[in-house]
Structure formats: C-alpha cells, structure tokens
C-alpha cells in the first residue's frame, strides 16, 4: 500500500490565499446532540461539524452558473450557525435535513402570500431597498378610507367617465379590508384557545366582518356615526361553545375568562369584550377604534371617538327610514368630518452583521415570549455566537457586475415601523443566492405575519439585484425537514427544490414529497427522472397527495436553522469518531475520490509533520483526514486550510 505523505503549509507551493482571503477550518468530527426539531430525550441529532476561523464566499458558494462545476459547502448540504459549520449525517440522524432553495425569477406566490403582502401595504407605505438605509416613497397607502368618499364619486360629474373603474378599485380595497379584519379576529380566537379561555379540540366558526352602510350609520344613535365595520362572531362562538359544553357530560365546570360556569357557556358580551381586548395592537397600528357593544365587535374610525354606551349595538334598520347619501348631500360633509386614518412608515435597512443592543433586546423578547426560553438562557454571549459572529470574509462591491452594491458576506436586515424595530432577518448574501438563516420579530406585531412578509421581501431582493450581479439567482431557506411538520411551510414558496444528499443534485419538491412521505431519508437523485414520466415505484395515491399541510403552520413561521452553537459545542456532546462512518462510507462511493496528501495543514508543529508526529499519531490523523475529505469533497478539501488545534 502506498504510504500517504501529508503536507504542511510550509511545504505547499500554494497556500490557498487570494485577494478575498482564505478558508481555514478545524475538524470537530462527528457529533451527537439533542434535537431541537423532534425534541427527543436522547442525543439523536448526528452531524459532522467544522469550526470555521474564516471562510471565503467562493468556498461557501462558488459563483459558477454551471451546476456540474459546483464544489462548495452550501451546495453540499452544509449550513452555518455563527462560526460553526454543520452537515447532518442523513442516514443516522433523527430528522434528516434537506437543503431547500427557490429560483427567485420562477417564484409563484400563493393566495395566502399575496394576502400577507397586501395586508402590510394596507397598514404602511413601503420603501424599496437595494442596500443600506433607503428613502421612503412619497406615496402612502391607507388602511381605512371613509366609505363616503366613494359615494361622492358616484354622483360627481367630473369623474363620470372613470366612475366604473374607480368603484371597482374601491370595492376591491374594501373587500381586502374586510378579509384582513376577519383574519385578525380569527387570530384572536386562536389565542383564546391556546390560553385556555376557549375549549380546544372543537371546530369554531370563522369570523365575518361586514361594512356598515352609510344609510345605517345615519340612523344610529348620536356618537355612532364613526362606525365603519362590525362582526357578530361572538354570538356564533357562544352558541358553538355552549353546544360543546352540553356534550361534555363528565365536565361539571368549565373555566372561561376566570368564571366558573356550570349550566351555561360564555355569553356573547364576554366573548366580544375578550376579543376586543386581544385586538388592542391592531387598533394602535390601523387607526381604528375597536369596541365590544352588547355582543357585537365594532370597528370605528379612530379620528372621532364613538359613544361607549354598553347597550348600543347594531340593530335592524327599516328600509323605509333609510335615506341615501345623495338626498342629504352628506357626502362632502361627512368626508370633511372623517380625516384620513393613521398611516405608518415601514423602513427596511440592510447592514453588515454586528452587535446592536436594540436588536439583542428584540431577540430576547422574541425568544422568551415566542419560544418560551427562560430569561437566564437568553444571554448576550449566546446571541453573539449564534447570530452575530460569522466566518465569512466580506467582499466589497466591485462595480463590475460581479458583486451587488452591498457586497458579499453576512448581514442583518432590519424592519422598522414608525422607527420602531419590529423584526430582524439574519442573512448571508453569496455569489449565487441570498441564504436566510434566522428571523426574530416583535410579538406585538404578530398580526402582520412578519415571517412570511420578510421571506417575500428577500425573494424580491434577489430579483432586483440580478441587474447588479447576474449570478444572483436563488433564495435558500435553510433546511427542509419533512418529518417535522412545523418546518414544512418552507415548501409553500413554490416552485422549490431539495438537494439530494448523495449526489448533490437538485430535485423538484413535487417529486421529492411523495418519496419523503414514505420514509425520512431518500436518495432523491434516483427519482429525478420522474419529473416528466410516471414510475411504478411510487403508488398513485402517494403521488397524488394534496399539499393541504403546506403553509398551515403559524403565520410567523421562522426560516431558521437550529442553534447548534449551544448544542454542538456543549460539553455533553460526544465524538463518534470511533464508530463506523456510515454516511461517508456509503454516500461517497463512486461519487469522488482524492488524495489526503493534497490537504494543506496549518497549526503548531506542522512545519515538519513527519518529525513531530509518531506512527500512531500519524495513522490517527490520516484516518481523520480521510473522513474530512469525504464529507467536504476532495476538491474543496484541497482548497481549504485544515487547522490543527489552536493554530492562531
């Protein structure tokens, strides 16, 4: 057998350095940890880890457009958590994780994604951004516009030729507002279920919000002229909950809003009051005043406060007493009495990754309130290690259509509403993609679905910056974990692709999904030919599975990779280097081969490896280098510097 000769950096004719820096990694080997996805009790998450002292963007993702030439970390299934690089052992880990991506130019938004975008546009006026702080557009979009304005247009001779199209636009906008308010009530109902204030496990009715016509408003008691919308959902909820309570034969008492109820369920009054209380944040951001009136949930124009008489509610108005807006000439009068609703400014700022106290406070609130972390677990040190530290070597803009205006590297994308920080997206901008790492947001703004909205913005960013950097084509959403239902929302960004864990080829999600329905680990490239033909290997009922579970999770689902900094480097984590290397022995057979003597080694004592290392140490190092070369790839292992111990 030919004896391997390892080379140190001193003996190498090329040390892999260039104008963009170099990649230097230390091999952590195979590690076990507890799983943040399936929450298993044991250390069932198995990955191979690298500690990255520095990584060039070209080694993390090469800029070539021809995928046959790809030899980079990201497109071989690696991800980063701070400066820790990790790749799942797909055959042995409890939750196989497939890299998922989307070609931005092919993105087809779903109805729900379009609704999220329209909702944000209704609440704020939105600037466009390329890099850095951006200027706000002059034109603003209002959430609520006085309906009387549209009525005036109907009788205005100056706009007679355009009245039809204008009215259609007004009707469409009105319908969007009604759908938006209905959705917010449904969210409030879900919060009541989660907090135990409503019975769980039963099908509750969906909210329906209706517009209060001008004629009805004129007939209401004084002080109610500002009433714009209303919903009677509290009556429907009360009836449903009462029926469910009667069916609970073994339950003598039900706890509802702190009251012990034996014979009857919660009244519509109580339910409406609770829902109104849950919608306080919506009232602050939409310019509406939300009140519970005798079981009705009413929405008023906040510019003129309505009467708060508890006995006032929307009643049936006789048609005989109703009068039209035109007969009273009240359009202009009402229009002047109802100023424009409150408008909110959204700013999106892109900055290089660095510690920001304001961001850390938002992250702390998010982790404690959304993920139920204990306060003493959310430290500045762990935050820095997870979301601030980055090994990527920054590449400044070049001005030659090879680098976008912001450069390549790690960034924090801030979302501010009225100068208040409401969300931060942690992203890497690389030669061929924007890679989304994590998002944290203000729990008070959950109704805006900031998780979905930020994903849409990041996809738009890729498309916009293709003019500055043509190689930018993809949006990477991290790992897709089919066995974890909460992570399936990523496939809702259509059409997406999954990375084959064996041959590193990209396979359409529509082909991969029925395969993953059957078992968690699949060599996807074996079935890539099914894109244009059927296969007897997959049953028709599996191939025909509907995508009814995609995107059905939390409206603020986070595009996240698990915080491996705390887990993988935890003292309880153990090395598995003595165990059979299942993944590297099976998955790389026939794929590629290399010579470990081509690996550049750096560290104390590496000036003369042959003299410093004895036979036993050399054999152990050679075994480790072979595993390292198989898991990162032969060509990439020869480009990167392999660090031994504390080489710096």
């Amino acid at each position: 057998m030919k004896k391997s000769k390892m080379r140190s950096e001193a003996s190498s004719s090329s040390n892999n350095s260039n104008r963009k820096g170099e990649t230097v990694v230390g091999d952590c080997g195979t590690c076990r940890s507890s799983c943040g996805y399936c929450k298993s009790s044991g250390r069932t998450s198995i990955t191979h880890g690298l500690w990255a002292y520095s990584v060039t963007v070209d080694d993390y993702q090469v800029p070539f457009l021809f995928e046959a030439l790809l030899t980079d970390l990201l497109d071989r299934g690696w991800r980063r958590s701070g400066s820790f690089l990790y790749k799942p052992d797909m055959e042995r880990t409890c939750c196989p994780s497939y890299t998922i991506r989307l070609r931005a130019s092919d993105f087809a938004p779903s109805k729900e994604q379009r609704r999220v975008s329209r909702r944000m546009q209704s609440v704020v006026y939105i600037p466009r951004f390329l890099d850095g702080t951006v200027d706000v557009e002059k034109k603003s979009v209002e959430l609520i516009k006085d309906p009387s304005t549209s009525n005036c247009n109907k009788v205005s001779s100056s706009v007679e030729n355009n009245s039809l199209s204008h009215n259609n636009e007004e009707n469409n906008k009105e319908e969007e507002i009604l759908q938006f308010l209905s959705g917010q009530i449904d969210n409030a109902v879900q919060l009541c279920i989660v907090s135990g204030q409503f019975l769980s496990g039963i099908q509750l009715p969906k909210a329906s919000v209706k517009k209060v016509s001008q004629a009805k408003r004129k007939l209401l008691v004084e002080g109610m002229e500002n009433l714009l919308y209303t919903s009677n959902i509290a009556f429907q909820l009360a009836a449903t909950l009462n029926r469910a309570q009667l069916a609970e034969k073994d339950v003598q008492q039900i706890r509802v809003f702190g009251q012990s109820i034996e014979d009857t369920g919660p009244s519509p009054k109580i339910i409406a009051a609770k829902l109104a209380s849950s919608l306080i944040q919506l009232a602050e951001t939409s310019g509406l005043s939300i009140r519970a009136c005798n079981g009705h949930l009413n929405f008023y124009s906040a510019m003129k406060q309505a009467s708060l008489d508890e006995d006032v509610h929307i009643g049936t108005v006789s048609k005989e007493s109703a009068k039209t807006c035109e007969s009273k000439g009240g359009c202009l009068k009402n229009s002047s009495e109802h100023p424009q609703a409150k408008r909110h400014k959204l700013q999106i700022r892109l900055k290089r990754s660095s510690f920001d106290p304001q961001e850390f406070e938002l992250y702390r609130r998010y982790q404690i309130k959304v993920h139920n972390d204990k306060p003493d677990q959310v430290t500045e040190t762990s935050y820095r290690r997870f979301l601030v530290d980055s090994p990527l070597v920054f590449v400044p803009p070049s001005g030659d259509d090879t680098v976008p205006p912001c450069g390549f590297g790690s960034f924090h994308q801030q979302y501010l509403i009225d100068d208040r920080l409401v969300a931060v997206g942690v992203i890497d901008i690389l030669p061929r993609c924007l890679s989304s790492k994590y998002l944290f947001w203000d729990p008070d703004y959950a109704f805006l679905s900031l998780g979905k909205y930020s994903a849409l913005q990041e996809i738009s960013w890729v498309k916009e910056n293709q003019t500055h950097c043509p190689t930018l084509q993809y949006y990477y959403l991290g790992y897709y974990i089919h066995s974890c239902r909460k992570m399936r929302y990523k496939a809702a960004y259509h059409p997406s692709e999954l990375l084959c864990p064996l041959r590193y080829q990209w396979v359409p999600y529509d082909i991969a999904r029925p395969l993953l329905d059957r078992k968690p680990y699949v060599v996807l490239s074996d079935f890539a030919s099914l894109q244009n033909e059927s296969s007897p290997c997959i049953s028709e009922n599996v191939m025909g599975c509907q995508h009814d579970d995609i995107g059905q999770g939390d409206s603020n689902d986070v595009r996240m990779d698990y915080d491996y900094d705390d887990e993988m480097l935890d003292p309880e984590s153990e090395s598995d280097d003595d165990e059979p290397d299942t993944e590297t022995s099976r998955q790389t057979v026939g794929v590629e081969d290399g010579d470990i003597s081509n690996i550049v080694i750096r560290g104390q004592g590496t000036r003369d490896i042959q003299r410093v290392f004895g036979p036993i140490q050399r054999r152990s190092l050679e075994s480790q280098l072979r595993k390292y070369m198989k898991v990162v790839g032969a060509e990439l292992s020869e480009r990167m510097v392999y660090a031994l111990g504390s080489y710096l």
Side-chain angles (χ1 to χ4, degrees):
M1 179 180 294
K2 182 180 179 181
K3 188 175 181 179
S4 299
K5 293 184 179 181
M6 295 173 289
R7 63 174 182 169
S8 66
E9 182 181 28
S11 64
S12 172
S13 60
S14 173
N15 64 359
N16 197 40
S17 62
N18 51 51
R19 67 180 181 89
K20 295 183 180 179
E22 62 181 359
T23 298
V24 183
V25 298
D27 190 4
C28 300
T30 303
C31 301
R32 289 181 178 269
S33 68
S34 59
C35 182
Y37 299 113
C38 66
K39 308 295 183 182
S40 61
S41 57
R43 293 197 293 270
T44 58
S45 177
I46 306 175
T47 65
H48 195 105
L50 299 174
W51 183 260
Y53 297 95
S54 65
V55 177
T56 67
V57 294
D58 288 347
D59 285 338
Y60 200 52
Q61 186 180 54
V62 296
F64 303 131
L65 289 175
F66 302 101
E67 295 191 355
L69 303 177
L70 298 184
T71 53
D72 58 61
L73 291 165
L74 194 63
D75 292 288
R76 291 182 64 92
W78 291 84
R79 297 286 293 175
R80 75 172 187 89
S81 178
S83 294
F84 185 75
L85 306 179
Y86 58 97
K87 177 183 179 181
D89 185 328
M90 296 290 280
E91 288 188 276
R92 293 193 294 163
T93 192
C94 56
C95 297
S97 308
Y98 298 81
T99 302
I100 183 171
R101 75 177 186 182
L102 164 77
R103 186 186 290 271
S105 59
D106 294 340
F107 175 57
S110 65
K111 182 178 180 181
E112 166 64 16
Q113 290 160 352
R114 292 194 297 268
R115 186 178 68 83
V116 168
S117 182
R118 289 196 301 267
R119 178 191 303 166
M120 179 67 80
Q121 292 172 356
S122 297
V123 175
V124 299
Y125 58 98
I126 305 170
R128 300 169 68 85
F129 66 98
L130 293 177
D131 77 307
T133 305
V134 297
D135 294 328
V136 179
E137 291 182 343
K138 299 297 183 181
K139 185 177 180 180
S140 61
V141 181
E142 302 168 15
L143 171 61
I144 302 298
K145 191 171 183 179
D146 189 3
S148 61
T149 304
S150 62
N151 290 334
C152 289
N153 289 331
K154 294 180 182 179
V155 296
S156 174
S157 58
S158 62
V159 294
E160 182 176 358
N161 294 333
N162 298 322
S163 62
L164 181 59
S165 60
H166 178 79
N167 290 337
N168 288 336
E169 292 177 2
E170 289 293 325
N171 291 336
N172 290 337
K173 183 175 181 180
E174 204 69 64
E175 182 62 28
E176 290 178 7
I177 293 172
L178 295 178
Q179 292 179 1
F180 168 71
L181 295 178
S182 299
Q184 296 312 302
I185 297 176
D186 290 336
N187 291 341
V189 171
Q190 291 302 315
L191 289 176
C192 291
I193 294 175
V194 172
S195 61
Q197 296 173 100
F198 290 166
L199 285 176
S200 60
I202 61 174
Q203 184 69 37
L204 293 178
K206 295 293 185 180
S208 175
V209 176
K210 296 183 179 181
K211 175 184 173 182
V212 180
S213 67
Q214 182 71 14
K216 284 187 178 181
R217 283 197 287 165
K218 294 180 61 152
L219 294 175
L220 295 173
V221 298
E222 184 178 357
M224 294 289 287
E225 301 90 345
N226 279 36
L227 181 59
L228 300 178
Y229 308 98
T230 185
S231 174
N232 64 353
I233 183 62
F235 292 91
Q236 302 174 47
L237 289 172
T240 302
L241 292 171
N242 287 339
R243 286 194 299 269
Q245 182 174 329
L246 291 175
E248 292 269 349
K249 295 181 180 180
D250 296 332
V251 178
Q252 299 299 324
Q253 292 184 343
I254 298 177
R255 193 79 174 170
V256 181
F257 305 130
Q259 298 179 359
S260 294
I261 303 174
E262 296 183 0
D263 298 325
T264 59
S267 69
K269 262 190 173 184
I270 294 177
I271 293 177
K274 185 58 182 178
L275 294 178
S277 177
S278 300
L279 294 169
I280 290 178
Q281 185 63 42
L282 173 63
E284 294 177 356
T285 57
S286 66
L288 290 172
S289 175
I290 305 173
R291 305 287 179 183
C293 297
N294 202 29
H296 291 267
L297 196 59
N298 294 342
F299 299 82
Y300 304 87
S301 171
M303 300 300 105
K304 181 178 179 182
Q305 294 298 323
S307 172
L308 302 183
D309 186 348
E310 290 186 351
D311 293 331
V312 175
H313 67 280
I314 300 174
T316 303
V317 182
S318 61
K319 295 182 179 180
E320 293 79 7
S321 60
K323 293 188 170 58
T324 61
C325 175
E326 293 87 344
S327 64
K328 286 287 187 178
C331 289
L332 295 177
K333 177 180 178 181
N334 285 339
S335 178
S336 64
E337 287 181 353
H338 296 288
Q340 293 181 345
K342 183 179 180 181
R343 295 170 295 180
H344 303 272
K345 179 179 68 175
L346 171 67
Q347 292 177 295
I348 304 175
R349 299 173 181 172
L350 187 64
K351 70 183 190 71
R352 290 179 58 185
S353 181
S354 62
F355 179 77
D356 183 324
Q358 189 179 11
E359 289 184 357
F360 172 65
E361 288 304 317
L362 178 61
Y363 170 79
R364 182 177 174 84
R365 285 192 63 223
Y366 169 79
Q367 293 296 132
I368 293 173
K369 289 196 172 184
V370 176
H371 290 291
N372 299 316
D373 286 359
K374 296 179 180 179
D376 58 355
Q377 294 177 328
V378 189
T379 65
E380 181 179 319
T381 300
S382 64
Y383 169 71
R384 285 178 179 270
R385 190 170 63 231
F386 179 33
L387 296 177
V388 178
D389 295 345
S390 173
L392 292 180
V393 179
F394 177 71
V395 178
S398 58
D400 59 357
D401 291 337
T402 61
V403 182
C406 61
F408 291 136
S410 299
F411 297 85
H412 284 193
Q413 189 161 282
Q414 298 179 333
Y415 295 80
L416 300 93
I417 295 181
D418 295 337
D419 296 322
R420 174 178 174 176
L421 185 66
V422 298
V424 176
V426 181
I427 60 176
D428 291 333
I429 296 177
L430 303 168
R432 289 186 295 110
C433 77
L434 183 154
S435 177
S436 182
K437 173 173 167 48
Y438 200 78
L439 178 86
F440 52 95
W441 38 269
D442 191 332
D444 292 340
Y445 287 78
F447 68 95
L448 288 177
S449 302
L450 292 168
K452 292 178 180 177
Y453 179 76
S454 62
L456 299 176
Q457 286 297 309
E458 289 166 3
I459 293 171
S460 296
W461 186 94
V462 175
K463 292 192 288 187
E464 291 171 1
N465 278 268
Q466 287 178 354
T467 58
H468 304 282
C469 181
T471 60
L472 267 172
Q473 293 190 6
Y474 293 97
Y475 177 57
Y476 281 58
L477 294 89
Y479 285 137
Y480 172 81
I481 304 174
H482 196 70
S483 57
C484 179
R485 295 185 66 86
K486 284 191 175 181
M487 299 299 288
R488 293 190 184 186
Y489 73 91
K490 295 184 179 184
Y493 298 89
H494 185 79
S496 54
E497 301 174 299
L498 300 183
L499 183 67
C500 174
L502 176 61
R503 300 183 183 90
Y504 308 113
Q505 298 174 5
W506 291 97
V507 178
Y509 173 78
D510 290 339
I511 292 177
R513 186 193 176 185
L515 302 169
L516 296 175
D517 283 339
R518 302 180 69 179
K519 56 181 181 178
Y521 172 74
V522 180
V523 179
L524 298 176
S525 57
D526 288 345
F527 302 88
S529 60
L530 297 178
Q531 185 168 8
N532 297 315
E533 61 182 74
S534 60
S535 171
C537 298
I538 305 176
S539 62
E540 294 182 3
N541 59 340
V542 173
M543 289 296 292
C545 286
Q546 297 300 314
H547 293 207
D548 54 355
D549 60 340
I550 300 301
Q552 297 300 315
D554 190 297
S555 61
N556 285 285
D557 278 332
V558 183
R559 303 171 320 286
M560 62 169 286
D561 293 320
Y562 188 61
D563 183 356
Y564 276 89
D565 282 338
D566 291 329
E567 289 289 341
M568 296 303 297
L569 302 182
D570 189 86
E572 293 185 0
S573 296
E574 62 184 23
S575 174
D576 273 358
D577 288 336
D578 293 333
E579 296 183 8
D581 195 350
T582 305
E583 179 184 9
T584 56
S585 63
R586 179 195 184 280
Q587 292 194 8
T588 56
V589 173
V591 177
E592 57 185 324
D593 197 7
D595 186 350
I596 61 172
S597 64
N598 293 325
I599 299 176
V600 177
I601 302 176
R602 179 185 297 176
Q604 295 179 354
T606 57
R607 293 291 178 179
D608 190 350
I609 293 178
Q610 305 295 330
R611 181 175 60 83
V612 173
F613 287 88
I616 297 178
Q617 291 89 345
R618 288 189 68 249
R619 283 196 296 270
S620 176
L621 178 58
E622 288 176 359
S623 176
Q624 186 175 354
L625 289 174
R626 289 190 185 95
K627 292 181 179 180
Y628 164 76
M629 176 172 281
K630 288 179 180 179
V631 78
V632 302
E635 182 176 340
L636 192 56
S637 66
E638 295 173 7
R639 291 207 310 264
M640 302 190 300
V641 175
Y642 187 94
L644 287 177
S646 301
Y647 83 99
L648 293 176

